[in-house]
C-alpha cells in the first residue's frame, strides 16, 4: 500500500483553479518530489495532504486513511516542515521542541529525551536556551526540521526545505535528510532546486498550471527529455539549426544561444565544431534543469 | 469510518503554551494588576472621592471608593481578556504564524481558538484575583461573598474573550482594532455603571447600558463585595453566558473562514 495516494485531486480558491486533477502515489521509504515553477500548485497540493486545505474534489489517502475524515489520526503520524518560518518566537529553541511535542501528546520525559536527541542530530545543542531572534536562518531551518520529526513521523512533508539558505547550511541539511532516508523515512518534498531534487528524490513529478507534466526517476526523466549531454553554442551560425534539424537532433533556439540535446551520436559535437567553428561552445552532461526548462518553458513566472 | 472530532481536551496543550510564555515574564504580568488598582483607589478615593461624597446604590449609601472598587476589577477582567483575544491572538495568528504551525499537528483550528478564548478568561481571572487581594486589603471587600469574584471573573472573561476573538476573525489589519475599541469597549468601560450608577442616566441610556456585558459583571462584582448576591445575580450570570454562547460559535466560524483556504 502506498503511504500517500492522491487521485484526481482538484483544488479551487474561489474562481482560481490551483490544482487541476492531479494523481500520484508515494511508496514507503522513498523520497518523492513535487517540482514546478511558482504557482504550479505544489504547495496547494501538499496543504491538502495534511488536512490544512479542504479538497475541492478527488481523493487523498494518507496511510490508507481518508484525509477528510481521519485528519487527526493522519496528522499525529506525519511531520510537516512548512515553507515559512513558523517557529514560536515567544519560546526558546528547546521549548519550541517540547511545546510542539505536547501538541502530539508525547509524555514530558520522552519529549525531553527526543528533543535532546534532535538538538544533537541537527547541531543545535549549544543553542538550546537561545531565543528565536538570536539564531541564524540556517539554524532556524534546522530547528523547523527537528520540530517536524519530534513525533517520529511515518511521513515527512517538506515544502521547499532549503530555499534561502547559504550553501553550507543547504549541504548540512541535505546530509541530515539523507540520513533520515537511510533510516527508512518516507519523504514528500517540493523544491525549486533541481540539484536538490536530483540528489534527494527517488521519483518526482514536474507540475505546471495545476497539472502533472511528467513523472519518473530523475535519471530516467533526464535520459528521456534531455538526452545524455547538452551542447551549448553561443551565436550559432545560420546553417547550424538546419544541420541539427536534418539529423533529427532536438534543440532549443534561444536567439543568441542554442541548446542541442545530444542523445546518441558520439561524434556530433566534434562535427558541429569542425563545420561551424562556433566562437564559444560547451558540451556538458544533461541535467534535470534542462528537463524542467524544456517542459515548463523559459518565461518568467511572477 | 468515523470522522475525527473537531473538539477534544487537547486544546489544553495550547493553553499550557500560553501559560508557559506568561510565566516567563510573570513579574511584569503581576505588577500591572497589583499597582493599577492602588493608583485608581488613590486617585478616585482620595482625589475625586472627596468631591463626590456618597453614592446611592440599591438603597445603600456607599463611599465613592466602595462604589468603584468592584467596577475596577470588572473592567480589568474586560481589558485583560479582550486584549488577549484581539491584539495578542492577532500577533500569534498573523505575524508569528503560530496557528499555522499548530495546524500541522493533531490540533484542530477549533481547539486553537477555544484555547485562546479560555486563555483570555484565565488572564481575566488572574487580574481580578490580584486586584481582589489589594481591594480586600484596603477593606473594600468585607464579605466572604467576594470570593465569588474568582469564578465570575472567568465567566466574564469568556464572554469578553469570545467577543474579542470574533472581532479578530474579521479584522484585516492590527490597526483596525482601534475601531471596536472606540465603538464598543471604551463606551462600555465608561457607561456600564462602572464610574457612576446607570439610574443617573436617561431611560434609553440605562437600557443601552444593561445590554453591555460589562454592566452585568460589574453588578455581580459589586453585590459580591457588599455581600448582597441574591437571585437577581442569576440573571446577570445568565446574560454573560448568553453573550458567550452567541460569540463563541461566531468566532469559530469566522476564524475557520479566515484561515482555512
Amino acid at each position: 500500500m502506498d503511504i500517500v495516494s492522491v487521485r484526481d485531486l482538484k483544488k479551487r480558491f474561489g474562481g482560481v483553479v490551483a490544482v487541476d486533477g492531479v494523481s500520484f502515489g508515494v511508496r514507503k521509504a522513498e523520497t518523492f518530489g513535487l517540482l514546478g515553477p511558482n504557482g504550479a500548485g505544489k504547495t496547494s497540493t501538499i496543504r491538502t495532504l495534511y488536512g490544512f486545505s479542504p479538497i475541492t474534489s478527488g481523493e487523498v489517502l494518507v496511510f490508507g486513511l481518508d484525509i477528510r475524515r481521519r485528519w487527526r489520526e493522519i496528522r499525529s503520524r506525519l511531520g510537516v516542515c512548512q515553507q515559512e518560518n513558523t517557529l514560536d518566537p515567544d519560546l526558546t529553541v528547546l521549548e519550541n521542541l517540547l511545546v510542539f511535542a505536547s501538541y502530539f501528546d508525547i509524555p514530558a520525559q520522552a519529549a525531553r529525551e527526543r528533543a535532546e536527541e534532535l538538538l544533537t542530530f541537527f547541531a543545535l545543542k549549544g543553542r538550546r536556551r537561545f531565543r528565536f531572534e538570536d539564531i541564524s536562518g540556517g539554524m532556524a531551518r534546522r530547528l523547523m526540521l527537528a520540530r517536524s520529526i519530534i513525533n517520529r513521523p511515518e511521513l515527512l512533508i517538506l515544502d521547499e526545505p532549503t530555499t534561502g539558505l547559504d550553501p553550507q547550511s543547504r549541504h548540512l541539511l541535505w546530509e541530515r535528510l539523507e540520513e533520515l532516508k537511510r533510516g527508512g523515512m518516507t519523504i514528500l518534498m517540493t523544491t525549486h532546486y533541481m540539484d536538490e531534487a536530483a540528489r534527494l528524490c527517488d521519483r518526482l513529478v514536474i507540475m505546471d498550471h495545476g497539472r502533472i507534466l511528467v513523472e519518473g526517476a530523475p535519471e530516467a526523466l533526464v535520459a528521456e527529455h534531455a538526452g545524455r549531454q547538452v551542447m551549448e553554442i553561443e551565436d550559432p551560425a545560420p546553417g547550424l539549426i538546419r544541420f541539427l534539424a536534418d539529423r533529427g537532433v532536438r534543440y532549443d533556439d534561444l536567439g543568441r544561444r542554442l541548446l542541442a540535446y545530444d542523445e546518441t551520436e558520439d561524434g556530433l559535437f566534434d562535427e558541429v565544431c569542425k563545420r561551424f567553428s562556433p566562437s564559444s561552445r560547451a558540451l556538458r552532461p544533461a541535467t534535470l534543469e534542462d528537463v524542467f526548462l524544456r517542459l515548463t518553458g523559459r518565461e518568467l513566472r511572477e | 469510518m468515523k470522522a475525527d472530532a473537531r473538539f477534544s481536551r487537547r486544546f489544553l496543550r495550547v493553553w499550557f503554551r500560553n501559560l508557559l510564555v506568561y510565566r516567563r515574564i510573570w513579574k511584569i504580568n503581576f505588577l500591572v494588576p497589583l499597582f493599577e488598582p492602588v493608583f485608581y483607589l488613590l486617585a478616585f478615593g482620595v482625589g475625586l472621592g472627596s468631591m463626590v461624597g456618597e453614592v446611592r446604590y440599591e438603597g445603600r449609601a456607599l463611599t465613592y471608593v466602595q462604589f468603584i472598587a468592584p467596577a475596577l476589577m470588572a473592567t480589568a477582567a474586560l481589558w485583560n481578556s479582550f486584549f488577549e483575544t484581539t491584539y495578542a491572538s492577532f500577533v500569534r495568528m498573523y505575524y508569528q504564524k503560530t496557528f499555522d504551525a499548530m495546524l500541522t499537528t493533531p490540533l484542530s483550528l477549533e481547539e486553537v481558538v477555544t484555547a485562546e478564548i479560555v486563555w483570555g478568561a484565565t488572564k481575566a481571572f488572574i487580574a481580578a484575583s490580584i486586584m481582589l487581594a489589594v481591594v480586600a486589603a484596603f477593606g473594600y471587600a468585607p464579605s466572604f461573598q467576594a470570593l465569588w469574584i474568582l469564578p465570575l471573573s472567568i465567566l466574564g472573561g469568556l464572554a469578553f474573550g469570545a467577543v474579542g476573538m470574533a472581532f479578530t476573525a474579521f479584522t484585516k489589519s492590527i490597526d483596525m482594532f482601534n475601531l471596536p475599541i472606540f465603538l464598543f469597549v471604551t463606551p462600555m468601560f465608561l457607561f456600564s455603571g462602572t464610574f457612576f450608577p446607570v439610574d443617573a442616566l436617561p431611560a434609553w441610556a440605562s437600557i443601552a447600558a444593561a445590554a453591555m456585558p460589562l454592566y452585568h459583571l460589574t453588578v455581580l462584582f459589586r453585590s459580591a463585595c457588599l455581600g448582597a448576591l441574591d437571585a437577581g445575580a442569576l440573571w446577570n450570570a445568565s446574560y454573560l453566558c448568553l453573550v458567550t454562547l452567541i460569540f463563541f460559535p461566531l468566532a469559530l466560524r469566522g476564524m475557520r473562514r479566515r484561515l482555512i483556504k
Side-chain angles (χ1 to χ4, degrees), chain A residues 182-200:
Chain A
R182 278 196 293 277
M185 178 89 80
T186 309
I187 300 175
L188 174 67
M189 64 186 295
T190 74
T191 182
H192 281 309
Y193 299 121
M194 297 304 127
D195 51 342
E196 181 166 285
R199 178 165 172 178
L200 295 174

Side-chain angles (χ1 to χ4, degrees), chain A residues 2-11 13 19 22-27 32-34 41-82 155-159 186-190 205 207 212, chain B residues 4 103-105 261:
Chain A
D2 283 349
I3 295 287
V4 177
S5 160
V6 175
R7 218 164 39 82
D8 199 26
L9 170 68
K10 292 195 172 112
K11 177 67 196 172
F13 298 104
V19 182
V22 159
S23 302
F24 63 88
V26 181
R27 297 170 199 148
F32 188 89
L34 289 179
K42 307 183 296 289
T43 299
S44 298
T45 300
I46 62 171
R47 279 187 169 179
T48 65
L49 294 188
Y50 61 92
F52 187 85
S53 299
I55 62 185
T56 306
S57 69
E59 186 181 60
V60 173
L61 301 180
V62 185
F63 314 125
L65 302 169
D66 189 334
I67 188 62
R68 280 171 297 192
R69 306 173 64 78
R70 303 304 308 278
W71 58 272
R72 200 192 293 271
E73 163 81 11
I74 291 169
R75 275 196 213 159
S76 70
R77 290 164 62 185
L78 57 75
V80 182
C81 186
Q82 289 158 312
L155 167 69
L156 175 60
I157 296 178
L158 304 168
D159 196 0
T186 309
I187 300 175
L188 174 67
M189 64 186 295
T190 74
V205 294
M207 293 180 70
I212 290 177
Chain B
D4 292 332
L103 294 181
T104 68
T105 74
K261 296 212 169 85

Side-chain angles (χ1 to χ4, degrees), chain A:
Chain A
M1 186 193 65
D2 283 349
I3 295 287
V4 177
S5 160
V6 175
R7 218 164 39 82
D8 199 26
L9 170 68
K10 292 195 172 112
K11 177 67 196 172
R12 259 193 298 273
F13 298 104
V16 183
V17 179
V19 182
D20 192 12
V22 159
S23 302
F24 63 88
V26 181
R27 297 170 199 148
K28 195 168 171 53
E30 80 171 342
T31 298
F32 188 89
L34 289 179
L35 278 58
N38 284 335
K42 307 183 296 289
T43 299
S44 298
T45 300
I46 62 171
R47 279 187 169 179
T48 65
L49 294 188
Y50 61 92
F52 187 85
S53 299
I55 62 185
T56 306
S57 69
E59 186 181 60
V60 173
L61 301 180
V62 185
F63 314 125
L65 302 169
D66 189 334
I67 188 62
R68 280 171 297 192
R69 306 173 64 78
R70 303 304 308 278
W71 58 272
R72 200 192 293 271
E73 163 81 11
I74 291 169
R75 275 196 213 159
S76 70
R77 290 164 62 185
L78 57 75
V80 182
C81 186
Q82 289 158 312
Q83 210 177 102
E84 315 102 8
N85 182 341
T86 59
L87 295 170
D88 197 326
D90 296 328
L91 302 174
T92 65
V93 168
L94 178 63
E95 285 169 342
N96 258 287
L97 296 176
L98 296 179
V99 167
F100 223 65
S102 80
Y103 300 156
F104 288 92
D105 272 349
I106 300 171
Q109 182 57 33
R112 196 159 278 278
E113 284 164 19
R114 177 72 175 150
E116 288 299 334
E117 188 185 311
L118 289 171
L119 290 176
T120 309
F121 185 67
F122 285 103
L124 291 164
K125 225 171 165 57
R127 316 277 163 160
R128 66 160 74 78
R129 307 254 167 253
F130 277 48
R131 295 292 292 279
F132 173 85
E133 315 80 271
D134 304 322
I135 62 174
S136 69
M139 286 182 217
R141 195 58 69 92
R142 261 144 51 209
L143 183 56
M144 284 279 291
L145 193 55
R147 195 180 70 168
S148 68
I149 57 172
I150 190 88
N151 59 327
R152 303 179 192 276
E154 295 159 60
L155 167 69
L156 175 60
I157 296 178
L158 304 168
D159 196 0
E160 297 188 19
T162 65
T163 298
L165 295 186
D166 64 29
Q168 283 80 4
S169 298
R170 290 181 79 198
H171 280 271
L172 179 60
L173 215 62
W174 285 345
E175 280 162 28
R176 291 300 178 268
L177 287 174
E178 281 164 339
E179 221 167 308
L180 291 174
K181 274 184 71 166
R182 278 196 293 277
M185 178 89 80
T186 309
I187 300 175
L188 174 67
M189 64 186 295
T190 74
T191 182
H192 281 309
Y193 299 121
M194 297 304 127
D195 51 342
E196 181 166 285
R199 178 165 172 178
L200 295 174
C201 294
D202 302 306
R203 287 192 307 136
L204 57 86
V205 294
I206 297 180
M207 293 180 70
D208 203 7
H209 305 297
R211 292 169 170 277
I212 290 177
L213 302 176
V214 289
E215 174 174 347
E219 319 80 59
L221 289 173
V222 172
E224 185 182 340
H225 296 277
R228 218 157 38 87
Q229 38 196 7
V230 178
M231 280 183 260
E232 294 205 26
I233 293 153
E234 303 262 336
D235 295 319
L240 179 54
I241 287 176
R242 186 165 336 122
F243 171 81
L244 292 172
D246 286 346
R247 282 158 189 259
V249 176
R250 290 188 286 180
Y251 64 88
D252 280 323
D253 183 3
L254 309 178
R256 299 279 313 270
R257 217 151 59 92
L258 185 81
L259 300 185
Y261 305 96
D262 184 0
E263 262 140 276
T264 45
E265 293 178 69
D266 258 339
L268 187 66
F269 183 67
D270 292 338
E271 202 177 336
V272 165
C273 292
K274 208 155 61 196
R275 275 193 182 213
F276 298 95
S277 51
S279 54
S280 173
R281 70 219 175 189
L283 184 66
R284 58 168 177 80
T287 66
L288 202 54
E289 188 127 354
D290 296 311
V291 180
F292 186 87
L293 289 170
R294 292 212 73 194
L295 291 171
T296 62
R298 288 172 184 274
E299 65 277 10
L300 277 181
R301 305 296 176 86
E302 277 161 346

